[in-house]
Amino acid sequence: PDRDVFRSVLAHPKLVPYYHAMMGEGYRMDHLPLLIQQAPGADGFVFHGGKMNDDGSWCEELAYQWHGGKMYNRLLAVSVALTETKPGDGGFCIIRGSHKSNMPCPAAIQRYEQYQELVDNPGLKPGDVVFFTEAATHGTLPWSAQHTRRACLYRFAPATSSYGRAYLPTWPAGMNDGLTPAEAAVLEAPYHPRLDRPALTLSGEVAGQRRAEWKKDHDNKVFGSKYF
């Protein structure tokens, strides 16, 4: 039963509208989730992410774009705080607005040596959820509080996008056992919603079939498969 609360992040009714807004219909979990833990006095971690590589080339796999009044994220991080963080305690940090940059982040900023005032270390309560695009420069500051910091990190992607490969050839043994239909839909491999992907509605319910039967019959005759 302890796993259920962590699985609920995949398709929680309060979170699904945000997933839709930032990744579109048919979003999917891309990486295996992980637990981040920092004991008192623990070191930080160099800043990373950003839509530009260090050599100035475009990092397509982490891309953020804005078109026609809508945002598009290729890889979205979702961090669930399990313990309290006060501003200045350390832990998760981010450079707000860096997802819009068209220049690589200078190494001195990545190492937290210059322009520290640009770095935001937000306060969090247990149960708070932080959404951030991997196109934003982010990292971890040394932990200065007296308690251990814990957070659970998920990464999601649009229906047709994949960065990780943990789903190949299947997710790890037992991972799909006992999932709700909505949670199982989020673990589908990358493919377009119009090919009968069990995508979620805004309310978190699983959408029905989309591709017409005559089209599937046609493709089966021509290609030997219902889905080309």
Side-chain angles (χ1 to χ4, degrees):
D2 293 339
R3 69 188 183 184
D4 292 343
V5 66
F6 296 99
R7 288 180 165 191
S8 70
V9 176
L10 302 180
H12 195 287
K14 289 188 176 181
L15 301 180
V16 170
Y18 295 97
Y19 296 151
H20 271 242
M22 289 184 269
M23 292 172 290
E25 184 181 11
Y27 72 90
R28 52 178 296 275
M29 190 178 79
D30 188 77
H31 290 48
L32 288 170
L34 56 90
L35 176 69
I36 296 176
Q37 180 170 291
Q38 282 181 287
D43 291 338
F45 188 75
V46 67
F47 295 1
H48 54 284
K51 71 173 186 178
M52 306 302 294
N53 293 310
D54 290 342
D55 62 3
S57 60
W58 184 45
C59 187
E60 181 181 1
E61 60 272 19
L62 303 182
Y64 165 90
Q65 294 178 309
W66 178 273
H67 292 292
K70 181 176 175 58
M71 70 176 76
Y72 297 87
N73 295 280
R74 289 290 296 274
L75 193 61
L76 182 77
V78 178
S79 179
V80 181
L82 303 180
T83 54
E84 182 178 12
T85 297
K86 295 179 180 178
D89 279 350
F92 173 76
C93 63
I94 193 165
I95 300 179
R96 292 179 181 266
S98 56
H99 59 294
K100 301 177 183 179
S101 176
N102 288 314
M103 300 290 288
C105 183
I109 295 179
Q110 291 178 329
R111 295 192 298 266
Y112 198 55
E113 296 171 347
Q114 293 182 347
Y115 302 105
Q116 290 94 338
E117 68 276 9
L118 300 178
V119 178
D120 186 24
N121 179 209
L124 299 168
K125 297 288 187 181
D128 284 351
V129 180
V130 179
F131 298 85
F132 62 96
T133 173
E134 288 282 351
T137 299
H138 59 281
T140 307
L141 294 175
W143 185 245
S144 62
Q146 295 305 304
H147 64 278
T148 296
R149 169 185 174 246
R150 292 184 177 90
C152 197
L153 182 65
Y154 301 74
R155 263 71 64 90
F156 295 93
T160 59
S161 181
S162 177
Y163 185 106
R165 53 173 291 171
Y167 67 92
L168 294 173
T170 61
W171 291 104
M175 186 166 165
N176 290 53
D177 296 348
L179 290 171
T180 67
E183 293 164 353
V186 180
L187 296 190
E188 285 284 310
Y191 61 95
H192 200 280
R194 76 184 184 94
L195 299 178
D196 289 345
R197 183 182 190 87
L200 303 188
T201 65
L202 282 174
S203 63
E205 301 296 324
V206 180
Q209 177 179 312
R210 296 141 189 269
R211 191 160 180 79
E213 288 296 334
W214 70 265
K215 289 185 177 181
K216 288 188 282 189
D217 289 342
H218 171 271
D219 291 346
N220 197 33
K221 292 176 182 177
V222 175
F223 303 110
S225 171
K226 290 183 178 180
Y227 305 103
F228 60 88

